Amino acid sequence: MTVNASVTFVGNATTVLRLGGFTLLTDPAFGPAGSRVYLGKGAWTKRVKDPALDVLDVRALDAVLLSHLHGDHFDKEARRDLPYETPIVTTPQAQRRLRRSRFGEVRGLPTWETHEWARGGDRLRVTAVPGRHGPGPVDRLLPDVMGSVVELETDNRTRLRLYVTGDTLYGSHLADIPRRCGEIDAMLIHLGGTRLLGMLLTMDDKQGVATTKLIRPGLTIPIHNDDYKVQKTPLEHYLRRAREEGLTGVRPITRGATLELPVRV
């Protein structure tokens, strides 16, 4: 049986994942270049690049996968355009806030908890995995963030295991992911080296390469690089460091492009 899986890059952390017969939208932010988004604690940032997706058929979505509730991951355009009955899988903290905003089909997943969909002989499973958005005690001042391991099964066989990092920093909390979830076929890694008040809040090139070496995916696709002014580390820095350290399977994706994901035979 032929199984297809792909990722379409919209911009920042927004992607469309087509996994067998399932479709997920990650971290929807549809605001145009020049729009400002709120990051909390009085901090704002401006978008500098337009998203690639103008029209999205939300009726085709099985769910939105939301790593955390920050303005560059769920902006006012997403709040306006997504129907309130859209299924959303996110953190328990974001679930509480979104339900107060009238989104009624939100599932908050504590770390290591799983949610799944079944259709015929196919099954799509999302497991929340650890993420830390800030260094040390600063992390407690930021929205809770989760990574996600997305597994596609057909006829009780795992065909793809995809790790979406979310806005996490590198650290020992990531080591349990391949240990508990198994071999990772592909990874969408959030980079950008986001800095506020001098503090690193998303992985830069050094942390990104360390994470890639730790997770050891067959395919690594860097995203969340250069859409907003707070992102300070160019993608090329990560790509160059990855080459220098002999990493293979790293493949950048251009805005609006679609890449095939590696499906197990």
Side-chain angles (χ1 to χ4, degrees), residues 14-17 23-28 30 56 61 63-65 82:
T14 309
T15 70
V16 179
L17 300 174
T23 302
L24 298 180
L25 174 69
T26 69
D27 291 345
F30 302 130
L56 176 68
L61 292 178
V64 168
L65 186 57
L82 290 173

Side-chain angles (χ1 to χ4, degrees), residues 70-81:
H70 248 160
D72 59 327
H73 291 252
F74 197 86
D75 61 8
K76 64 181 181 181
E77 285 79 8
R79 291 178 183 269
R80 179 195 66 202
D81 294 344

Side-chain angles (χ1 to χ4, degrees), residues 28-31 38 66 68-71 73-86 88 94 96-103:
F30 302 130
Y38 185 57
L66 177 62
H68 66 302
L69 202 54
H70 248 160
H73 291 252
F74 197 86
D75 61 8
K76 64 181 181 181
E77 285 79 8
R79 291 178 183 269
R80 179 195 66 202
D81 294 344
L82 290 173
Y84 289 131
E85 64 272 16
T86 303
I88 301 174
R96 293 190 292 271
R97 292 179 59 189
L98 286 170
R99 285 186 174 175
R100 289 197 295 268
S101 298
R102 295 190 293 172
F103 285 93

Side-chain angles (χ1 to χ4, degrees), residues 44-252:
W44 295 77
T45 189
K46 181 181 288 188
R47 189 159 198 166
V48 295
K49 292 187 176 181
D50 288 316
L53 190 64
D54 294 323
V55 178
L56 176 68
D57 184 2
V58 295
R59 296 169 299 178
L61 292 178
D62 289 284
V64 168
L65 186 57
L66 177 62
S67 64
H68 66 302
L69 202 54
H70 248 160
D72 59 327
H73 291 252
F74 197 86
D75 61 8
K76 64 181 181 181
E77 285 79 8
R79 291 178 183 269
R80 179 195 66 202
D81 294 344
L82 290 173
Y84 289 131
E85 64 272 16
T86 303
I88 301 174
V89 178
T90 188
T91 66
Q93 182 190 66
Q95 172 189 294
R96 293 190 292 271
R97 292 179 59 189
L98 286 170
R99 285 186 174 175
R100 289 197 295 268
S101 298
R102 295 190 293 172
F103 285 93
E105 297 298 322
V106 188
R107 174 68 183 269
L109 292 183
T111 302
W112 302 118
E113 188 168 308
T114 294
H115 183 68
E116 63 181 41
W117 300 263
R119 185 174 298 138
D122 297 339
R123 189 176 303 272
L124 190 70
R125 180 180 300 112
V126 173
T127 301
V129 298
R132 293 180 184 169
H133 205 339
V138 173
D139 186 55
R140 293 196 292 271
L141 302 176
L142 297 166
D144 293 344
V145 64
M146 74 175 192
S148 303
V149 172
V150 184
E151 297 175 277
L152 175 65
E153 290 185 0
T154 59
D155 298 324
N156 297 315
R157 294 174 51 209
T158 298
R159 306 302 296 272
L160 172 69
R161 187 174 292 124
L162 169 70
Y163 170 39
V164 185
T165 67
D167 280 11
T168 187
L169 297 176
Y170 172 77
S172 59
H173 59 283
L174 302 181
D176 280 339
I177 295 171
R179 186 159 56 236
R180 293 183 61 154
C181 296
E183 180 181 357
I184 302 296
D185 301 301
M187 175 171 69
L188 293 178
I189 185 170
H190 291 199
L191 297 174
T194 301
R195 288 186 180 272
L196 281 175
L197 301 177
M199 291 180 294
L200 187 68
L201 302 181
T202 65
M203 289 184 280
D204 58 9
D205 56 315
K206 183 178 180 180
Q207 290 204 8
V209 166
T211 298
T212 308
K213 293 169 74 172
L214 176 67
I215 300 298
R216 303 184 306 278
L219 173 66
T220 299
I221 303 171
I223 59 173
H224 193 274
N225 294 296
D226 56 2
D227 277 77
Y228 294 89
K229 294 188 73 172
V230 290
Q231 294 164 330
K232 304 298 185 182
T233 304
L235 174 60
E236 182 53 41
H237 290 195
Y238 168 78
L239 298 177
R240 181 172 63 246
R241 185 181 289 270
R243 290 193 299 267
E244 290 171 350
E245 300 204 19
L247 291 178
T248 59
V250 175
R251 187 173 178 186

